[in-house]
Amino acid sequence: MELNLKNPLVFLDLETTGINIVTDRIVEIALLKILPDGKQAEKLMLINPEMPIPAQSSAIHGIKDEDVKDAPTFKEVAKILAKFVEGCDLAGFNSNRFDIPLLSEEFLRAEVDIDLKKRKFIDVQTIFHKMEKRTLGAAYEFYCNKELENAHSAMVDTVATYEVLKSQLDHYSAAEAEARGKKFSPLVNDVDKLSEFSSFDRNVDFAGRIVYNSDGVEVFNFGKHKGKPVEQVLREEPGYYGWMLNGEFPLYTKKVLTAIRLRAFSNNG
């Protein structure tokens, strides 16, 4: 089943120095853009992370310091990448929890103004885990009936993720639900619906430090103020804002926190 798109959809995969979205950096980025008419465009880049690549990370993706020593830094290509994803929704495998938060951090460090929160996100891993609970290699074998070779090669993983999503739409279609006795709700070939289904949470920021409660109010999702409205905490304990701004929190979390603070002051004014 081909994707039913209103906007271009970019599948992405990052290879990185590690898994900390605050301190780690991109070493390779693969982007696969699917246009509403079915045409495709690809972009694959090695990135100099401006820090040593740990051996344990190189063991996973095969990229070493010497491979990226002459590659551009993210800041040098940030505007090119921003232009490539402009006006596009985003998809990936575990992308909501890792790739998109880390990519957002890199754009902020490069001082490129791109608000990824305005996009729709489809996380193929979330769909897979909700339906079958396995990994990308197993998903590829299960849905596409093929073995995933050269896993952790960015473009291989990215293309596989695209193929898995199309096969998921076939596997969980209304026709399949009918044939299998309606044991599941069919997936709808619509980016808004797939994005909604891909989400486990109600994050305000990418890292989930601030979330919406059942009333749609932003509340902290960690620490001593977990569950408390952000505006209330900033009003009753003004120093908490400074503590978070100076702490090891993602730049996007700090940006969201600042926006809430400015909004609160404006409303009170």
Side-chain angles (χ1 to χ4, degrees):
M1 184 183 295
E2 293 300 321
L3 299 178
N4 181 19
L5 302 177
K6 297 177 185 141
N7 303 314
L9 181 63
V10 171
F11 288 81
L12 73 155
D13 185 66
L14 308 179
E15 304 301 342
T16 65
T17 58
I19 59 173
N20 187 317
I21 66 172
V22 177
T23 59
D24 281 306
R25 301 292 186 268
I26 296 171
V27 299
E28 186 179 33
I29 181 169
L31 303 172
L32 173 64
K33 183 188 293 187
I34 312 300
L35 301 174
D37 63 5
K39 292 180 180 177
Q40 302 180 16
E42 296 180 0
K43 191 170 291 293
L44 176 65
M45 288 184 176
L46 285 172
I47 305 291
N48 186 334
E50 301 181 274
M51 64 182 290
I53 303 174
Q56 59 267 33
S57 297
S58 294
I60 294 173
H61 49 56
I63 301 170
K64 300 178 180 178
D65 292 334
E66 55 264 32
D67 298 321
V68 297
K69 62 183 177 64
D70 297 322
T73 65
F74 187 88
K75 188 168 186 177
E76 290 172 331
V77 298
K79 289 183 179 178
I80 296 172
L81 295 173
K83 182 68 175 176
F84 190 82
V85 302
E86 184 178 3
C88 301
D89 296 318
L90 300 172
F93 197 86
N94 194 35
S95 49
N96 284 2
R97 294 172 185 248
F98 182 71
D99 300 80
I100 290 171
L102 183 53
L103 183 61
S104 174
E105 291 295 292
E106 291 278 33
F107 277 127
L108 286 169
R109 279 189 289 268
E111 299 181 335
V112 171
D113 186 15
I114 176 172
D115 189 356
L116 297 179
K117 268 290 186 178
K118 293 180 179 178
R119 317 301 173 83
K120 296 294 183 182
F121 304 137
I122 299 174
D123 194 326
V124 174
Q125 185 192 62
T126 301
I127 295 174
F128 186 39
H129 284 180
K130 282 186 173 182
M131 292 295 197
E132 305 294 344
K133 304 190 184 303
R134 294 195 181 116
T135 60
L136 177 57
Y140 195 65
E141 184 175 356
F142 182 86
Y143 290 111
C144 303
N145 198 29
K146 292 184 284 186
E147 184 176 346
L148 181 60
E149 298 180 359
N150 298 320
H152 296 297
S153 169
M155 189 54 74
V156 170
D157 287 358
T158 302
V159 172
T161 301
Y162 169 50
E163 291 183 18
V164 167
L165 178 57
K166 292 197 295 180
S167 293
Q168 284 176 328
L169 289 169
D170 287 326
H171 194 79
Y172 302 114
S173 66
E176 280 294 309
E178 181 71 25
R180 291 156 66 179
K182 296 185 178 179
K183 294 180 180 178
F184 59 87
S185 297
L187 288 179
V188 179
N189 191 351
D190 176 86
V191 168
D192 289 357
K193 297 295 184 183
L194 291 170
S195 175
E196 181 182 347
F197 190 77
S198 295
S199 178
F200 270 119
D201 48 47
R202 304 186 68 198
N203 290 358
V204 180
D205 66 328
F206 290 122
R209 299 293 190 272
I210 301 172
V211 299
Y212 293 108
N213 65 13
S214 58
D215 296 320
V217 175
E218 299 113 331
V219 300
F220 285 112
N221 194 35
F222 72 97
K224 66 179 182 178
H225 293 307
K226 184 173 183 177
K228 292 183 182 178
V230 175
E231 286 194 21
Q232 176 188 330
V233 172
L234 296 182
R235 184 173 60 252
E236 296 176 354
E237 191 178 332
Y240 201 70
Y241 173 76
W243 174 77
M244 285 193 65
L245 232 58
N246 292 318
E248 194 175 277
F249 291 94
L251 294 174
Y252 192 77
T253 300
K254 296 176 182 180
K255 181 179 179 179
V256 168
L257 183 69
T258 299
I260 294 173
R261 183 171 181 261
L262 289 174
R263 185 192 66 204
F265 284 160
S266 175
N267 290 341
N268 291 336

